Amino acid sequence: MKKYISVLKKTQMFRGVHEEEIGSMLSCLGARLFYYKKGEYVLREGESISDVTVLVEGELHIRNEDYWGNRSILGRVAPGDVFGEAYLAPDSGGLLNDVVAVEDSAVIFFDVKRVLMTCSSACRFHSMVVQNVFCIVSQKNRNLVEKLGHMSKRTTREKLLSYLSEQAKKQNSSSFTVPFNRQELADFLSVDRSAMSSELCKMRDNGLIEFDKNHFRLL
């Protein structure tokens, strides 16, 4: 687990905490490391969890499938991202979505009770970690509002333009790469892949965008 301390240092959860302090806090926070192969479920819908989780290697998708197998991608988890924080409150119920490894991944689980309650050894930076967790919850709520903004658009073109515009702003460039392939982007925006691909071609022909795989340029 020590080899991932440098990754944890860069996470929002441990922002402001010295690297050597993180190493000493792992036991205090009940840290456990698990590895997952591509395609394996990290968490399943309906499960109850009592951990804050941090991805330290690989990539995960938070997704949902209905009774007929239609899939929606609700979010992407990159190295350093925290997930599962929405279920920190007591009696928050089971998970509403699946968390799946889309490549070989490593995840560290932290006991939520140990995270939120100061330990007997009174780690100097423990209160800082608690504050950071609440900042993470706030940011995740903001991300959800952004996604709802895309989803509220009526047409596939409007959803695409909303999402691509947001990505251009975040990357501060009219030329950028999105973290999804075509099927994943369609699942994220909850649109049909064929219809989306057709719309992208129309937008290119109309002089709105240029693209190559998952790289886009707004014109």
Side-chain angles (χ1 to χ4, degrees), residues 152-170:
S152 66
K153 306 301 180 184
R154 294 182 178 275
T155 67
T156 298
R157 174 174 292 204
E158 289 174 340
K159 290 180 180 181
L160 284 167
L161 287 174
S162 176
Y163 175 75
L164 295 175
S165 175
E166 180 203 5
Q167 290 297 309
K169 290 178 181 178
K170 284 185 175 180

Side-chain angles (χ1 to χ4, degrees), residues 124-142:
R124 289 190 301 155
F125 293 97
H126 200 141
S127 61
M128 190 176 294
V129 170
V130 175
Q131 294 176 35
N132 290 341
V133 168
F134 280 100
C135 288
I136 290 169
V137 173
S138 176
Q139 182 60 48
K140 290 294 183 71
N141 285 336
R142 183 181 177 87

Side-chain angles (χ1 to χ4, degrees), residues 7-17 51-55 62 77-78 80-88 110 115-116 128-145:
V7 179
L8 292 174
K9 175 65 176 68
K10 299 176 183 178
T11 67
Q12 188 174 1
M13 182 172 171
F14 289 97
R15 184 177 57 189
V17 182
D51 299 282
V52 179
T53 47
V54 179
L55 179 67
I62 300 172
V77 183
D81 287 348
V82 176
F83 60 102
E85 74 292 332
Y87 302 90
L88 293 180
F110 296 93
V115 171
L116 297 181
M128 190 176 294
V129 170
V130 175
Q131 294 176 35
N132 290 341
V133 168
F134 280 100
C135 288
I136 290 169
V137 173
S138 176
Q139 182 60 48
K140 290 294 183 71
N141 285 336
R142 183 181 177 87
N143 293 341
L144 178 59
V145 171

Side-chain angles (χ1 to χ4, degrees), residues 58-149:
E59 182 178 342
L60 311 175
H61 281 175
I62 300 172
R63 70 189 194 192
N64 180 269
E65 291 188 18
D66 64 18
Y67 181 82
W68 295 274
N70 298 310
R71 179 183 301 168
S72 296
I73 295 177
L74 305 179
R76 170 181 175 267
V77 183
D81 287 348
V82 176
F83 60 102
E85 74 292 332
Y87 302 90
L88 293 180
D91 302 320
S92 58
L95 292 168
L96 299 177
N97 308 292
D98 298 317
V99 181
V100 184
V102 292
E103 57 184 64
D104 291 351
S105 302
V107 179
I108 298 180
F109 288 69
F110 296 93
D111 187 328
V112 68
K113 290 182 179 179
R114 295 195 184 187
V115 171
L116 297 181
M117 297 177 65
T118 303
C119 61
S120 57
S121 58
C123 301
R124 289 190 301 155
F125 293 97
H126 200 141
S127 61
M128 190 176 294
V129 170
V130 175
Q131 294 176 35
N132 290 341
V133 168
F134 280 100
C135 288
I136 290 169
V137 173
S138 176
Q139 182 60 48
K140 290 294 183 71
N141 285 336
R142 183 181 177 87
N143 293 341
L144 178 59
V145 171
E146 290 178 349
K147 180 175 172 61
L148 289 174

